[in-house]
Amino acid sequence: MNLSAGSGGVQVLERTEFPVNRGALCGKGRTAPALLSPATRLTEPLVRGASGQLEPASWPDALDRVAEGLSRVRTAHGPDACGVFGGGGLTNEKAYALGKFARVVLGTSQIDYNGRFCMSSAAAGQQRAFGLDRGLPFPLADVARTGCVILVGANPAETMPPAVRYLTELKENGGRLIVVDPRRTRTAEQADLHLAPRPGTDLALALGLLHLVVAEGHTDEAFIAARTSGWEQARAVAMAHWPEYVERITGVPVPQLREAVRLFCTAPESMVLTARGPEQQSKGTDTVAAWINLCLATGRAGRPRSGYGCLTGQGNGQGGREHGQKADQLPGYRKLTDPAARRHVAGVWGVDPDRLPGPGRSAYELLDALGDDVRALLVMGSNPVVSAPRAAHVEERIRSLDFLAVADVVLSETAALADVVLPVTQWAEETGTVTNLEGRVLLRRRAVAPPPDVRSDLSVLRELAARLGVSKGFPEDPEEVFAELRRASAGGPADYSGISYRRLTDEQGVFWPCPETPPGAAAAPRTRTGSGGGEAPPPDAHPGTPRLFLERFATDDGRARFVPVAHRPAAEEPDETYPVLLTTGRVLAQYQSGAQTRRVKELNAAAPGPFVQLHPRLAARIGVAEGDRVAVVSRRGRAVAPARLSSGIRADTVFMPFHWPGEGRANTVTNPVLDPVSRMPEFKVCAVRVERAELAEE
């Protein structure tokens, strides 16, 4: 988008020439300027006074208090008693600086971020199969040009409306759309075939489809032999999931399973795209592996207009996990346990590799340790009081901290509990890069000035580092930070070293990996342009990589790996006490924890509060009518919201959006049990009891 600032305030203008959304905006993007108003956001630092209330303070006082709080805990309990919790909405520069701050300044291993709740299972699945994780290994525009798309657990009509045009174009071009979702969402209504499995059974569904692929002779034996390994073991497991068995598990009729295989395999090219539905499960990584196995067995990977991809859930969901704010990673998507990676990054940072701490706790495990092993926490761009599973417990843990500092745009539910709140700049007020779901690095330039007493996160980290004894290495200029990020990422899986602000401006984004020079080329000298234009690329600059895996996969032998996986139940299945399944998700007019979108009048009018979607048969059984207050009760707590009846949801399932705090907080109920590989909580399925709220209160 472009912004226009005039007497009527800031207005959003479409950029029709932009290659990803072609100017289309969702309501959240169109109304985003409302958050620039001082009336809706933080405009000065706050500290908790003697009265116990947050009170205005000067920046020096607020920063001194943060530095003192972190230093006090670190001195008394050691570096790992200080935790850092980041966000997938931070720019690449801020995510990079935050990871460096945690490891170099605080010396702590206890850093993770809310992106662990987003794409971690898809990332782990792609790493196992392909040796590399990038949301989509191809441009989004390829979706419109393939022959068939299986969209698993995604509802882009509400979560990313501008992307729906590619699904519309897919169908206009004669392609087919299969949607897998326990609800008949706005996206499912556009599908040629809608499969509505029981929540938590996506793994069985994928295995059942692979069984039929083998049984009906749709495997691509030449591709399997030339470009994969591990097929025999994966096939043997899949063949144990015969169609009638899968129907009993999933509730999807066998004729629909056969039709899905026919549509997917008779198209010349096909794709599988997953989102949070199959990924936010205690077996999310294995579920992703099963869908990847389906692509590999049919030769739908490493070829144009074919393959597996993941739809991101946050503004910088891809870039946010590439540059060091994840517990086990260093910049460039390097592994923290790799000695060579540690040496390289430590060299860029000017520290001894042995000083870098090892991997820390994953996001929920970090939050669960607050107040015990972790006594102080710095939060940037996240609101776990609303967004974390078992949220009432997480809120209790946050309240038990010795010290909490939050840097954010608004006074979120988490910030309201802090000892110090730091008001920071937002999207239109700062320059920085983000990386979208395609792996396209984009430059977002500052368009308007922030309020006078608001600072950037980079400024906050620079000031805190200086107060904690590190006076160099934390510049405030984002382009200077990006230049260091480029060096730190050089040679890593997510190599940004050939990307500059100048290129991002001239080319409207560059796909990683993009090393500084193309393979076999000598490094050419770089020249500077005037007026802050940045580096001009050499004439033989690497073009970036829009499409991955066309020649080889990113594994040691260049082959994709089949991973043998078998269905297993959800961690919590229904029983007599909790006979219904809960699944959660988003609505069109709100975003994530709602901390920002709930402050926009137009969005709040469209989606003013939480609700419980349930089938009329279930509603009749418990005596509930449209609009009645309903209690959803699990082993962890209770959420209450008005009933919304719909025949578009399974009768054994209820749905709640997770954008609201208070009694309608869906994550009070959700299960924090973790995937053993990705450490993703099982947001998408838990056993609950549903009843009239008045009955539950008696």
Side-chain angles (χ1 to χ4, degrees):
M1 67 175 73
N2 290 322
L3 294 183
S4 172
S7 58
V10 177
Q11 293 184 326
V12 172
L13 304 176
E14 295 180 352
R15 287 179 60 191
T16 56
E17 78 283 1
F18 189 66
V20 184
N21 65 334
R22 305 176 198 164
L25 295 171
C26 70
K28 295 183 284 288
R30 182 174 47 78
T31 60
L35 291 165
L36 300 172
S37 168
T40 60
R41 49 94 60 85
L42 293 166
T43 57
E44 58 187 347
L46 303 173
V47 300
R48 198 163 297 280
S51 67
Q53 303 301 308
L54 288 172
E55 302 169 353
S58 69
W59 269 101
D61 182 34
L63 290 166
D64 286 347
R65 290 205 188 193
V66 176
E68 190 278 331
L70 294 172
S71 181
R72 170 169 36 88
V73 167
R74 185 176 58 171
T75 300
H77 303 286
D80 275 357
C82 292
V84 176
F85 200 86
L90 300 179
T91 63
N92 292 323
E93 291 82 355
K94 292 190 289 188
Y96 172 84
L98 187 62
K100 181 180 178 182
F101 176 85
R103 296 181 173 103
V104 173
V105 178
L106 296 178
T108 182
S109 66
Q110 300 304 302
I111 175 172
D112 212 81
Y113 79 125
N114 62 17
R116 177 78 69 170
F117 300 156
C118 180
M119 293 174 61
S120 58
S121 293
Q126 291 191 78
Q127 289 278 6
R128 289 203 300 187
F130 305 138
L132 183 69
D133 154 48
R134 197 179 81 183
L136 297 180
F138 40 71
L140 189 59
D142 282 6
V143 172
R145 307 200 323 251
T146 191
C148 180
V149 171
I150 301 181
L151 192 62
V152 189
N155 183 18
E158 296 199 59
T159 59
M160 50 173 62
V164 174
R165 68 170 53 203
Y166 293 110
L167 300 178
T168 302
E169 291 175 11
L170 165 75
K171 298 187 68 176
E172 290 173 348
N173 293 335
R176 298 301 187 93
L177 174 63
I178 303 169
V179 171
V180 179
D181 200 301
R183 301 191 300 140
R184 189 163 182 80
T185 62
R186 296 186 188 186
T187 306
E189 289 174 353
Q190 302 180 33
D192 297 286
L193 178 63
H194 174 212
L195 309 181
R198 183 173 176 267
T201 64
D202 305 89
L203 174 53
L205 178 64
L207 289 165
L209 297 181
L210 183 54
H211 177 110
L212 287 170
V213 163
V214 175
E216 296 178 1
H218 293 299
T219 55
D220 188 331
E221 297 296 333
F223 177 87
I224 291 170
R227 301 201 59 190
T228 73
S229 62
W231 169 231
E232 293 301 324
Q233 298 90 333
R235 180 177 61 184
V237 177
M239 296 314 289
H241 295 74
W242 60 94
E244 292 76 14
Y245 173 58
V246 169
E247 178 179 330
R248 289 200 301 272
I249 294 172
T250 65
V252 177
V254 171
Q256 289 189 4
L257 299 175
R258 295 188 185 280
E259 178 65 2
V261 168
R262 186 188 70 81
L263 294 175
F264 187 75
C265 294
T266 57
E269 299 98 15
S270 303
M271 296 176 180
V272 172
L273 305 178
T274 69
R276 305 302 78 76
E279 299 163 17
Q280 287 182 327
Q281 298 184 29
S282 59
K283 52 182 181 294
T285 302
D286 284 356
T287 302
V288 167
W291 288 105
I292 291 175
N293 288 349
L294 180 68
C295 292
L296 295 177
T298 54
R300 263 63 172 180
R303 289 174 171 172
R305 297 175 296 280
S306 290
Y308 167 83
C310 169
L311 302 181
T312 54
Q314 297 194 68
N316 194 27
Q318 181 67 49
R321 68 180 181 277
E322 294 171 359
H323 298 298
Q325 65 171 334
K326 193 162 173 273
D328 55 354
Q329 287 179 192
L330 289 170
Y333 226 140
R334 287 182 157 92
K335 293 181 180 178
L336 190 52
T337 53
D338 179 1
R342 294 171 65 88
R343 285 194 300 271
H344 175 85
V345 174
V348 173
W349 289 350
V351 299
D352 187 330
D354 293 337
R355 279 191 54 202
L356 297 180
R361 293 175 172 89
S362 70
Y364 179 77
E365 292 166 304
L366 172 57
L367 295 171
D368 189 42
L370 299 181
D372 293 326
D373 295 335
V374 179
R375 310 293 291 269
L377 185 68
L378 172 64
V379 178
M380 280 192 165
S382 189
N383 188 19
V385 166
V386 177
S387 64
R390 198 186 174 197
H393 171 73
V394 169
E395 180 177 346
E396 177 187 326
R397 293 290 82 215
I398 288 174
R399 289 180 181 274
S400 72
L401 284 164
D402 294 351
F403 180 79
L404 172 65
V406 176
D408 210 332
V409 173
V410 298
L411 189 67
S412 70
E413 287 71 24
T414 303
L417 304 179
D419 297 288
V420 181
V421 181
L422 304 174
V424 291
T425 51
Q426 55 180 306
W427 59 284
E429 301 162 347
E430 60 187 12
T431 293
T433 62
V434 296
T435 306
N436 76 353
L437 74 168
E438 312 162 296
R440 189 194 305 250
V441 186
L442 305 165
L443 178 62
R444 187 179 65 199
R445 289 198 178 275
R446 171 173 160 161
V448 298
D453 222 13
V454 171
R455 298 187 182 182
S456 73
D457 297 87
L458 295 178
S459 172
V460 168
L461 293 174
R462 178 175 63 84
E463 293 286 345
L464 291 178
R467 283 166 167 78
L468 292 167
V470 180
S471 58
K472 295 182 180 180
F474 289 88
E476 189 173 347
D477 176 18
E479 189 167 8
E480 190 175 344
V481 177
F482 190 74
E484 183 178 301
L485 180 157
R486 292 170 59 193
R487 297 196 301 275
S489 73
D495 191 334
Y496 282 35
S497 60
I499 304 174
S500 65
Y501 274 26
R502 169 67 178 271
R503 284 194 67 178
L504 295 176
T505 300
D506 292 347
E507 301 174 33
Q508 298 196 92
V510 178
F511 291 86
W512 72 258
C514 183
E516 189 159 18
T517 55
R526 291 198 177 265
T527 59
R528 296 290 298 183
T529 62
S531 305
E535 295 178 341
D540 61 347
H542 193 288
T545 314
R547 294 172 180 84
L548 297 170
F549 313 139
L550 295 183
E551 296 180 1
R552 69 188 311 275
F553 294 94
T555 56
D556 292 341
D557 60 5
R559 291 173 173 265
R561 302 185 186 97
F562 282 95
V563 179
V565 292
H567 169 71
R568 61 183 185 273
E572 192 174 76
E573 290 286 336
D575 57 21
E576 290 184 1
T577 306
Y578 302 100
V580 177
L581 290 170
L582 169 71
T583 191
T584 64
R586 301 184 190 176
V587 296
L588 177 62
Q590 300 289 352
Y591 183 68
Q592 301 296 70
S593 75
Q596 295 185 30
T597 51
R598 285 186 272 113
R599 288 168 166 80
V600 178
K601 183 177 180 180
E602 181 178 334
L603 299 178
N604 247 6
F611 60 88
V612 179
Q613 184 187 48
L614 67 164
H615 195 278
R617 289 205 301 272
L618 176 58
R621 191 160 70 243
I622 62 176
V624 167
E626 180 76 19
D628 286 352
R629 281 165 47 86
V630 174
V632 177
V633 185
S634 78
R635 291 174 173 86
R636 290 153 296 282
R638 175 175 178 270
V640 177
R644 187 174 294 181
L645 275 57
S646 171
S647 59
I649 189 170
R650 291 176 56 98
D652 58 2
T653 300
V654 295
F655 167 84
M656 288 190 73
F658 54 72
H659 309 292
W660 287 273
E663 71 170 5
R665 180 174 60 185
N667 279 319
T668 296
V669 182
T670 51
N671 194 345
V673 66
L674 303 179
D675 179 289
V677 179
S678 68
R679 316 309 288 170
M680 167 73 84
E682 192 153 52
F683 287 101
K684 281 297 184 283
V685 52
C686 69
V688 298
R689 179 174 70 250
V690 185
E691 55 198 8
R692 288 189 296 115
E694 292 76 10
L695 178 64
E697 291 164 356
E698 292 174 357

